[in-house]
Amino acid sequence: MKFREILDDEIVAPGEYVYYESKRKIVLCGAFNREKNFIRALSEGRLVQDKISEFKKINLTRAEQDQYGVSKCKGCSG
C-alpha cells in the first residue's frame, strides 16, 4: 500500500478512504472542497477537517486489491 499526494486536478469522492497524515490514520472522506481547501473526514467516530495537503490518496497494487477484495455470497453469484 502506497500513499500519494492529491493532485490539483483530482477529486476525492465522499465515501473514499484517504490517509490522514497528521494522525497517521486511514479515514473516510465525507466532504471535499477544492475552493476552500479542505477535506472533512470521519476518523474514529469523530469528524475532522483539515487542509487537502494533510491527506493522501491510497494506491493498492493489483495483488493487494485481490487480497482485500470483497467476495460475494453464494446467493449473489447466480
Side-chain angles (χ1 to χ4, degrees):
M1 185 179 311
K2 296 190 186 216
F3 307 110
R4 65 173 176 81
E5 298 289 328
I6 298 170
L7 303 175
D8 292 336
D9 60 341
E10 281 186 309
I11 295 175
V12 179
E16 183 176 348
Y17 285 100
V18 291
Y19 180 70
Y20 186 30
E21 222 170 13
S22 297
K23 300 286 184 180
R24 293 193 281 171
K25 296 188 182 282
I26 294 177
V27 297
L28 183 65
C29 178
F32 175 82
N33 191 323
R34 175 74 63 195
E35 295 168 1
K36 295 182 181 177
N37 191 32
F38 75 82
I39 290 180
R40 195 173 296 140
L42 190 62
S43 173
E44 297 179 341
R46 295 178 183 259
L47 198 60
V48 295
Q49 180 174 321
D50 210 339
K51 295 180 282 185
I52 294 173
S53 61
E54 292 296 316
F55 295 88
K56 293 188 181 266
K57 283 247 187 187
I58 301 170
N59 279 353
L60 295 176
T61 64
R62 182 50 118 175
E64 289 173 327
Q65 287 177 1
D66 292 341
Q67 178 184 358
Y68 299 122
V70 177
S71 64
K72 294 182 180 179
C73 66
K74 298 291 183 198
C76 297
S77 61

